[in-house]
């Protein structure tokens, strides 16, 4: 049975004992385990029903950990990115050191590391004295959790859920890869391409939307982050919908059909607010027995809108027109 609470020392004790603890970060809740303990990490894959080919992010609270977890020579640009964006929602993928067990990286030679900015996450990592492997605390392929209740809804085999309220950013970190001499964004997130290109001018958005046999980042799977009800993306909503259809609009200024279930993601279309409320809105409609399908309004693909549309296309993938 899951236990939810606010006791950081208890959470840290669980992690030191090789147990699983879900904890808040500024992006979404993570499902954490001691990254240096392969048995503990194996429990993450089991609890999430996550395929073993999908590597985990390692969370740290001290910059010294970079030297321990990555292999030398460490790419100069790691430190440039760290200086600009940590602590914060940027995961850096780089060649790993031998300290990282293979199960964390799905057998790969690289590891994704990030220093979250959420004070509880930092306090927890500090209290354990360990790097924490933590994917988003959802069942594989389902909606990411932005509250402790979202975690409890999906995952049963968690020893403790550290409750820090709703997460602030609401979508997962930007994942950037520094291998092979070039720099690529594998997953868009709150730190945008434009922000990163000010530090590393030749950074590119990955064009890879590859199949499961050849994944640079399994976060690139076409279907992901999906509610258990059909989602349809609309630039313009249809003129009318039935009573069992929910409409999720960017703001009250959107053109909305008359409908029974309406949810606004922001007061005025502010994309940061839309991101913060996105998963939570889909969770609510997923839980609402009076709703069969959801129609979600697309947003402009600028700044964090790129990450929002990435998540929405994945949520709606099986229902997108060919
Ligand atoms: O905001 C976040 O990143 C959250 C919080 C908890 O930190 N974590 C998260 O983890 O979203 P997860 O596992 O749900 O997504 C991590 C993504 C996956 O798509 C994974 O394939 C990719 O990062 N990834 C992790 N390590 C990688 C590596 N070594 N090479 C390529 N992709 C990697
Ligand atoms: Mg995830």
């Amino acid at each position: 049975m899951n236990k939810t609470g606010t006791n950081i020392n208890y959470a840290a004790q669980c992690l030191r004992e090789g147990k699983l603890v879900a904890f808040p970060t500024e992006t979404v809740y993570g499902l954490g385990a001691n990254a240096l303990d392969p048995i503990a990490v194996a429990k993450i894959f089991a609890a999430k029903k996550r395929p073993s080919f999908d590597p985990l992010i390692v969370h740290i609270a001290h910059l010294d950990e970079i030297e321990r977890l990555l292999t030398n020579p460490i790419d100069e640009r790691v430190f440039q990115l760290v200086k600009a964006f940590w602590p914060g929602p940027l995961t850096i993928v780089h060649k790993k050191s031998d300290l990282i067990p293979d199960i964390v990286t799905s057998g790969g030679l690289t590891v994704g590391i990030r220093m979250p900015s959420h004070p509880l996450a930092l306090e927890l990592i500090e209290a354990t004295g360990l790097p924490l492997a933590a994917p988003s605390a959802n069942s594989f392929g389902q909606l990411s959790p932005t509250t402790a209740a979202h975690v409890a809804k999906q995952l049963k085999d968690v020893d403790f859920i550290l409750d820090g309220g709703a997460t602030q950013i609401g979508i997962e970190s930007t994942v950037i890869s520094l291998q092979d001499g070039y720099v690529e964004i594998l997953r868009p997130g709150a730190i945008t391409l434009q922000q990163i290109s000010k530090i590393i001018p030749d950074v590119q958005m990955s064009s890879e939307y590859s199949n499961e046999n050849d994944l640079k980042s399994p976060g690139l799977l076409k279907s992901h982050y999906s509610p258990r009800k059909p989602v349809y993306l609309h630039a313009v909503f249809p003129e009318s919908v039935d009573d069992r259809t929910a409409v999720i609009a960017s703001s009250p200024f959107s053109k909305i059909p008359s409908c029974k279930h309406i949810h606004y993601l922001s007061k005025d279309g502010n994309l940061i607010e839309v991101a913060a409320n996105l998963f939570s809105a889909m969770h609510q409609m997923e839980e609402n027995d009076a709703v069969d399908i959801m129609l979600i309004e697309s947003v402009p693909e600028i700044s964090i809108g790129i990450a929002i549309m990435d998540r929405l296309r994945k949520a709606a993938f099986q229902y997108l027109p060919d």
Side-chain angles (χ1 to χ4, degrees):
M1 206 192 69
N2 288 323
K3 280 183 277 180
T4 301
T6 55
N7 188 334
I8 291 209
N9 291 331
Y10 178 71
Q13 185 193 329
C14 288
L15 288 163
R16 281 193 303 266
E17 288 171 359
K19 295 180 177 165
L20 296 186
V21 172
F23 62 95
T25 79
E26 71 279 22
T27 58
V28 300
Y29 274 70
L31 179 62
N34 176 359
L36 306 181
D37 175 352
I39 309 275
V41 173
K43 293 179 191 168
I44 295 180
F45 284 92
K48 274 185 65 98
K49 302 186 187 72
R50 181 173 174 118
S52 57
F53 63 71
D54 194 358
L56 306 180
I57 295 173
V58 175
H59 297 68
I60 61 175
H62 284 285
L63 294 179
D64 306 350
E65 292 281 54
I66 297 174
E67 311 272 350
R68 246 169 39 103
L69 302 178
L70 303 184
T71 201
N72 276 308
I74 297 173
D75 191 314
E76 193 56 31
R77 294 167 300 183
V78 170
F79 300 103
Q80 293 170 354
L81 290 169
V82 162
K83 189 157 172 256
F85 301 114
W86 278 12
L90 182 74
T91 297
I92 303 173
V93 173
H94 183 280
K95 283 212 176 69
K96 76 178 188 75
S97 77
D98 293 340
L99 208 61
I100 303 273
D102 287 338
I103 187 168
V104 172
T105 63
S106 301
L109 298 177
T110 63
V111 65
I113 57 172
R114 106 172 172 94
M115 185 186 289
S117 63
H118 196 297
L120 284 185
L122 290 171
E123 235 180 284
L124 178 66
I125 300 167
E126 193 123 359
T128 60
L130 297 165
L132 299 182
S136 51
N138 52 319
S139 269
F140 183 73
Q142 294 189 25
L143 291 174
S144 291
T146 60
T147 66
H150 294 161
V151 179
K153 179 169 82 168
Q154 290 187 20
L155 299 180
K156 300 302 161 205
D157 298 323
V158 180
D159 297 291
F160 188 63
I161 302 174
L162 183 63
D163 192 348
T167 62
Q168 192 202 341
I169 293 176
I171 54 175
E172 305 82 354
S173 63
T174 305
V175 179
I176 186 167
S177 164
L178 292 174
Q179 6 162 4
D180 307 332
Y182 59 87
V183 190
E184 222 179 17
I185 294 181
L186 301 180
R187 178 176 71 183
I191 307 275
T192 62
L193 178 69
Q194 295 92 316
Q195 285 175 288
I196 295 173
S197 60
K198 289 197 182 120
I199 314 290
I200 302 176
D202 57 349
V203 62
Q204 291 193 346
M205 196 62 91
S206 173
S207 55
E208 292 265 320
Y209 277 84
S210 43
N211 62 38
E212 287 177 31
N213 300 323
D214 179 27
L215 289 177
K216 280 195 189 161
S217 176
L220 297 178
L221 284 173
K222 283 180 179 160
S223 168
H224 216 81
Y225 315 111
S226 303
R228 308 174 85 148
K229 292 177 182 171
V231 171
Y232 295 90
L233 250 182
H234 286 269
V236 180
F237 288 122
E239 281 184 8
S240 63
V241 299
D242 66 32
D243 281 353
R244 297 193 60 81
T245 297
V247 169
I248 302 179
S250 302
S251 83
F253 299 105
S254 307
K255 193 165 180 297
I256 294 148
S258 72
C259 56
K260 201 162 170 201
H261 308 282
I262 173 81
H263 193 107
Y264 300 114
L265 295 173
S266 76
K267 289 186 289 300
D268 54 7
N270 176 310
L271 292 178
I272 291 180
E273 207 180 326
V274 170
N277 294 320
L278 183 67
F279 280 122
S280 170
M282 288 196 272
H283 275 286
Q284 275 181 43
M285 296 306 160
E286 180 182 75
E287 286 158 25
N288 189 337
D289 289 339
V291 168
D292 290 336
I293 66 170
M294 23 189 141
L295 312 188
I296 308 190
E297 190 177 19
S298 48
V299 299
E301 291 194 67
I302 46 166
S303 65
I304 198 175
I306 293 173
I308 295 171
M309 286 301 287
D310 171 71
R311 307 306 189 273
L312 284 178
R313 287 204 183 93
K314 284 170 181 159
F317 175 65
Q318 44 195 318
Y319 311 104
L320 286 174
D322 287 335

